Amino acid sequence: MKTVFINIKELVQVENSPKKFVSGKEMNILPTLKNAFLIIENDVISDFGIMEKLPNNIHFNSIIDLTDKLIVPTWCDSHTHIVYAGTRVQEFTDRIHGLTYEEIAKNGGGILNSAKLLQKTSEDDLYQQSALRLEEIIQLGTGAVEIKSGYGLTKDAELKMLRVIKKLKDNYPIAIKATFLGAHALPSAFKNRKNEYLTDVIENILPIVAKEKLAEFIDIFCETGYFSVEDTEQLLKAGKMYGLQPKIHVNQFNAIGGVQAGLKYNALSVDHLEEMRPEDIESLKNTNTMPVALPSCSYFLSIPYTPARQMIDAGLPLALATDYNPGSTPSGNMNFVVSTACIKMKMTPEEAINAATINGAYAMGLEKTHGSICKGKKASFFITKKIPGYSFIPYSFGNNHIETIYINGLKTTQSSF
Ligand code: NIG
Ligand code: FE
């Protein structure tokens, strides 16, 4: 099955040979082709170029004219918690009335609130609730996503979450990577016994996660009042023995050395980074660890934005993700993330689109198959409505500029599911 898209106004994020990620000044370069064609064969991209070079000796099953429309590779959302039960709307209104996110957590709300609800929810119900969110983000242009556990906080509930993620992987065409986040918060049953909980996670849950191949990555919330740098090192060390690479929550409210702990254990990414000390930026230079910013979380909680300008100007790479979760970011809209990165973090549209595609793909180990328009990569991209250029996507914030989505070469609409 061969399809050709012709007269594409602009084919965005093209590359001839796949790169790992882009950093520093290179992030401001977004390679595109104007008046282009794209050929897909079954589920992969087989060729692309400018219209003058369109081969005339090929039989196509379908020819699609995209005059005035752009093609952009699907967004790569490398940090989400979309498997959860219910909502935390009450906490949202509590914050409007003056409570902080940290105060709510101290009063037994927050992550523990979600855990209580999830523990009571059946696996089937949890799957149905989560599948709806997955379908929602696909319609918003996301073609690869990482999903974390961490709202279970007991062996049974953590495994339930990870099995739901596995079922989503089996039933949906988009690329999904799973992360074990057993150390997300201290469950009330272990109050004042943090070390015992960590031991439980390491000795009783982690071996099953690894044996049943339920996760590729391991995560921990390294933060004052949650888990310390020592806890983080202990967990990452254990994760490494089971072949799970770290992708960790660090520097959200306090910079306590989480970045360095991640680097020590070769983290694929360090995420949040709202609070960055000069030494945190310095230590990330020339490493293979991707810093990940989550601007929708900053927006929703009214906390500082990750200092993207400082980081990119220092030569670092940066990826953007949603953090979609019930407490700090009840939104999985990567288009909004890209806009907010430009508007609030002063990233250029080129930097933001690189951060949300190729760098996001790298941050979940998918850079060989996703994140760009490249021969041999998955035919996962979206076609825009008639818009003047790619900068219009972040500029015209809050609007939907996507007309059609292709995942693995197939046109995907709400009725596909
Ligand atoms: O990434 N910071 C830790 N975890 C989530 C939020 C958890 C919650 O409030 O439910 C985050 O923001
Ligand atoms: Fe998160």
Side-chain angles (χ1 to χ4, degrees):
M1 179 76 180
K2 262 190 186 173
T3 302
V4 64
F5 300 86
I6 57 168
N7 300 322
I8 306 162
K9 183 185 169 99
E10 199 162 7
L11 183 60
V12 177
Q13 187 64 305
V14 290
E15 55 178 11
N16 291 324
S17 54
K19 45 183 172 292
K20 271 165 68 171
F21 56 79
V22 285
S23 352
K25 285 196 171 66
E26 217 195 328
M27 282 195 68
N28 201 29
I29 301 165
L30 184 64
T32 71
L33 289 178
K34 294 206 166 113
N35 195 23
F37 72 88
L38 172 71
I39 301 173
I40 63 173
E41 198 170 341
N42 301 320
D43 61 335
V44 295
I45 294 167
S46 63
D47 201 5
F48 61 85
I50 50 170
M51 276 308 284
E52 290 76 23
K53 299 261 175 73
L54 177 64
N56 56 12
N57 54 349
I58 304 180
H59 168 75
F60 294 109
N61 304 81
S62 155
I63 300 173
I64 299 171
D65 190 325
L66 296 187
T67 301
D68 292 334
K69 298 172 185 174
L70 277 55
I71 282 186
V72 181
T74 44
W75 304 125
C76 294
D77 188 353
S78 66
H79 181 138
T80 81
H81 309 247
I82 62 170
V83 172
Y84 62 81
T87 73
R88 304 230 297 271
V89 177
Q90 180 58 47
E91 293 177 14
F92 172 60
T93 45
D94 288 347
R95 281 197 301 105
I96 293 171
H97 289 118
L99 282 181
T100 66
Y101 178 82
E102 281 142 314
E103 283 164 350
I104 290 167
K106 264 204 190 103
N107 298 338
I111 296 167
L112 296 187
N113 194 354
S114 290
K116 225 190 285 168
L117 214 56
L118 188 138
Q119 287 162 11
K120 288 192 292 205
T121 305
S122 72
E123 192 169 317
D124 265 1
D125 188 4
L126 186 62
Y127 174 80
Q128 298 303 340
Q129 294 188 38
S130 309
L132 280 182
R133 281 186 282 272
L134 190 67
E135 292 173 16
E136 169 196 303
I137 67 168
I138 294 170
Q139 296 311 311
L140 290 165
T142 294
V145 65
E146 180 259 18
I147 311 174
K148 300 171 194 298
S149 70
Y151 288 121
L153 307 182
T154 64
K155 182 166 97 181
D156 286 355
E158 281 296 305
L159 294 175
K160 176 164 71 183
M161 288 189 80
L162 290 166
R163 280 195 291 263
V164 165
I165 301 175
K166 187 164 186 297
K167 205 153 149 202
L168 293 170
K169 269 190 201 186
D170 293 343
N171 294 348
Y172 285 87
I174 82 165
I176 299 178
K177 293 279 186 168
T179 300
F180 173 47
L181 175 56
H184 196 189
L186 186 62
S188 1
F190 283 84
K191 203 168 178 201
N192 301 321
R193 294 188 296 134
K194 193 180 63 180
N195 289 344
E196 282 175 51
Y197 181 61
L198 257 192
T199 307
D200 191 46
V201 167
I202 291 171
E203 292 182 4
N204 298 328
I205 314 181
L206 180 57
I208 305 176
V209 172
K211 186 160 166 259
E212 293 187 17
K213 295 195 171 39
L214 289 172
E216 283 94 357
F217 305 114
I218 190 157
D219 193 352
I220 183 166
F221 189 14
C222 178
E223 181 60 58
T224 309
Y226 290 83
F227 294 96
S228 67
V229 169
E230 293 72 43
D231 300 334
T232 303
E233 292 208 13
Q234 191 191 342
L235 182 84
L236 300 191
K237 196 169 166 193
K240 200 174 168 186
M241 288 189 351
Y242 287 100
L244 298 185
Q245 199 180 3
K247 272 175 75 62
I248 59 175
H249 282 75
V250 295
N251 296 39
Q252 182 175 5
F253 301 107
N254 299 283
I256 57 172
V259 170
Q260 290 71 19
L263 288 168
K264 187 167 165 190
Y265 288 92
N266 188 31
L268 182 58
S269 72
V270 283
D271 303 26
H272 270 290
L273 313 177
E274 289 87 343
E275 299 295 334
M276 288 293 271
R277 306 168 299 187
E279 63 261 44
D280 295 327
I281 295 183
E282 202 49 43
S283 60
L284 281 162
K285 286 185 182 168
N286 304 312
T287 70
N288 284 317
T289 298
M290 178 63 66
V292 179
L294 310 165
S296 298
C297 175
S298 300
Y299 176 83
F300 189 71
L301 294 185
S302 301
I303 61 173
Y305 287 86
T306 301
R309 216 30 305 134
Q310 253 173 282
M311 294 165 69
I312 296 171
D313 292 348
L316 295 186
L318 189 68
L320 289 166
T322 61
D323 199 17
Y324 196 174
N325 75 75
S328 73
T329 323
S331 161
N333 190 340
M334 281 295 283
N335 306 285
F336 179 79
V337 164
V338 167
S339 276
T340 309
C342 295
I343 297 162
K344 295 292 183 186
M345 294 157 72
K346 301 287 173 234
M347 288 171 73
T348 64
E350 291 78 10
E351 288 170 339
I353 293 172
N354 270 315
T357 55
I358 188 67
N359 285 6
Y362 176 83
M364 48 185 158
L366 288 172
E367 74 280 7
K368 292 202 175 85
T369 50
H370 292 79
S372 69
I373 301 295
C374 179
K375 284 185 205 174
K377 281 198 180 184
K378 290 288 181 195
S380 293
F381 51 83
F382 60 81
I383 298 167
T384 67
K385 296 174 183 167
K386 294 184 177 183
I387 59 171
Y390 59 75
S391 298
F392 193 79
I393 299 173
Y395 159 79
S396 180
F397 73 95
N399 291 324
N400 182 6
H401 304 294
I402 299 178
E403 185 177 84
T404 317
I405 294 140
Y406 278 78
I407 303 286
N408 299 342
L410 290 177
K411 192 170 164 178
T412 306
T413 61
Q414 195 58 44
S415 58
S416 315
F417 306 119

